[in-house]
Amino acid sequence: MGAMSGDDVGKAVEGCVAALRPAVDRDWERVAAGSLEWSCRQTAEHVAGALLAYAGQLAGRARDSYVPFSLTLDEGTDNAGLLQVVETAGVLLATTVRTTPPGVRAFHPHPFGSADREGFAAMGVAEVLLHTHDLTEGLGLAHAPDEELAESVLTRLFPHVQPGPAPWPTLLWATGRGELPGRAPVTDWRWRNNLVIPTERLALTGIRPDAARDLRLGGDGGLTWIEGGPYEGTREAAGFLVKGYEAGVHRPEFGVFALVRQEDGRAVGGIGFHGAPDEEGRVEIGYDLAEGARGRGYATEAVCALTEAALAREDVDVVLATIEHDNTASQRVVARAGFVRATLDEERIAHEHHAVDTGLRLYVRRA
């Protein structure tokens, strides 16, 4: 599965219009859109408005809020005209996604305050797929969305949701629109764009499950790497991320991040957590760099940023790092990042009760 693109937005909009066109002569004002409180007319207008808004956010590089504009239809616009507006707004978003560089982010509130071009493409596709379902359900029309589009939305916007037997039923369940065997109904949901933590020279960019899967299989994860990257530790960490996602225990804020140089957009390494915090508020980090990026302070910069972000959370009290006895370079990195060597008693407890390898030194930094 490649990067989510403007073509995906176009494909979703094309399917929406094709599904709704047979009903353009009906009264959409008096028919509820599936389980929504909106009418079919209101829902179709919402789809057009969302596509236009996403295009505006991304094109305008909105920083802290929504760009202050909205969609207003000409008086007397009929349903056929409304579908034309949906198509047009879809083209605008698709074109904006295609022409926006990969590292650019713009404001969106959920959950970390911004999204990149893939995030906006995924949100646009989600709006189209889900509300086409609502509209066709209300109007009694057939609707069979592209399963690959549904899977793309899930891996980018619902990384915290365990994959189900098929992508489309899982997406419907995850958004409170259907049932999934063995899972409780969803009554409250929110999609999640990936987290990016900026530093002076880097952007710690959250790796999504689909990109992690590609890295695990030997690909580049949709990133442009410097020579020698990604290092093996990043690929191994990506594999653990995929396992967590498939098991339904992945928490994106405690996932894996690519270290992307802000000056040229190239990835130089990876950093991340070994999992979510335990019941004692302990979380462990690991990191690596491509050989060509070593000796420039990137690792220290990244470890400082990720550690401080973790310790700012209420559910984290201690950040741990385990390092080989002879890896003095990595030991210096964590020392510069404010970590101290654990006491002998702390190391004993880590070895006996937390399965820490006895061949590793334990370093800690507390809130």
Side-chain angles (χ1 to χ4, degrees):
M1 186 185 302
M4 201 156 199
S5 68
D7 291 345
D8 295 312
V9 176
K11 185 186 297 184
V13 171
E14 181 181 351
C16 168
V17 172
L20 296 175
R21 187 166 281 135
V24 292
D25 294 330
R26 293 171 57 182
D27 184 356
W28 290 9
E29 290 280 9
R30 299 187 182 185
V31 179
S35 60
L36 303 183
E37 295 181 357
W38 294 338
S39 70
C40 286
R41 176 76 179 195
Q42 289 173 312
T43 303
E45 290 180 4
H46 169 79
V47 171
L51 293 170
L52 180 62
Y54 294 153
Q57 291 298 103
L58 191 56
R61 312 293 198 259
R63 293 288 184 182
D64 304 310
S65 62
Y66 288 109
V67 177
F69 75 100
S70 61
L71 175 69
T72 301
L73 300 179
D74 289 346
E75 186 175 349
T77 300
D78 60 10
N79 294 334
L82 176 52
L83 287 185
Q84 184 180 17
V85 175
V86 170
E87 286 182 297
T88 303
V91 170
L92 291 173
L93 177 57
T95 302
T96 304
V97 169
R98 293 187 187 105
T99 57
T100 299
V104 169
R105 298 184 74 85
F107 174 80
H108 191 275
H110 306 303
F112 303 118
S114 70
D116 61 6
R117 65 182 186 182
E118 283 201 58
F120 279 104
M123 289 188 290
V125 170
E127 296 278 3
V128 173
L129 294 186
L130 293 168
H131 289 312
T132 301
H133 166 79
D134 299 328
L135 285 156
T136 54
E137 187 176 59
L139 294 166
L141 302 171
H143 177 228
D146 187 308
E147 287 281 344
E148 189 170 317
L149 284 180
E151 184 177 7
S152 292
V153 169
L154 284 169
T155 59
R156 287 166 177 82
L157 299 182
F158 295 87
H160 52 294
V161 171
Q162 183 179 18
W168 179 235
T170 304
L171 182 57
L172 289 178
W173 169 81
T175 57
R177 289 172 166 84
E179 298 180 355
L180 213 57
R183 302 195 193 184
V186 172
T187 58
D188 185 31
W189 61 273
R190 183 76 71 185
W191 58 47
R192 302 173 69 84
N193 279 292
N194 67 328
L195 173 63
V196 171
I197 302 172
T199 71
E200 182 180 355
R201 296 176 296 167
L202 303 170
L204 278 57
T205 304
I207 295 176
R208 299 175 171 102
D210 61 306
R213 187 178 291 118
D214 183 62
L215 283 167
R216 181 190 63 175
L217 297 175
D220 58 17
L223 297 159
T224 302
W225 292 84
I226 65 168
E227 186 176 355
Y231 207 64
E232 192 55 39
T234 297
R235 295 197 186 281
E236 183 179 357
F240 287 123
L241 188 159
V242 172
K243 289 181 180 179
Y245 171 62
E246 292 175 347
V249 297
H250 175 52
R251 288 178 59 183
E253 61 270 39
F254 292 105
V256 182
F257 299 79
L259 309 185
V260 179
R261 265 191 326 220
Q262 295 195 33
E263 66 180 40
D264 60 5
R266 292 182 175 272
V268 300
I271 191 169
F273 298 95
H274 290 196
D278 63 18
E279 65 278 359
E280 299 174 32
R282 299 155 43 102
V283 67
E284 183 178 351
I285 63 169
Y287 52 91
D288 66 13
L289 289 175
E291 289 189 15
R294 295 174 186 174
R296 304 182 186 182
Y298 291 140
T300 300
E301 193 171 320
V303 171
C304 283
L306 192 64
T307 300
E308 288 166 7
L311 291 174
R313 297 177 54 91
E314 293 184 358
D315 53 353
V316 176
D317 295 317
V318 181
V319 179
L320 310 175
T322 53
I323 303 173
E324 295 85 355
H325 285 261
D326 59 353
N327 191 346
T328 56
S330 191
Q331 292 167 22
R332 288 194 296 269
V333 166
V334 296
R336 288 193 294 266
F339 286 71
V340 297
R341 179 79 183 272
T343 65
L344 292 177
D345 193 46
E346 287 174 326
E347 285 197 336
R348 179 186 59 77
I349 293 172
H351 297 323
E352 294 178 359
H353 300 288
H354 297 284
V356 173
D357 191 325
T358 56
L360 300 175
R361 288 185 176 181
L362 179 66
Y363 290 80
V364 299
R365 180 172 165 183
R366 294 180 171 82

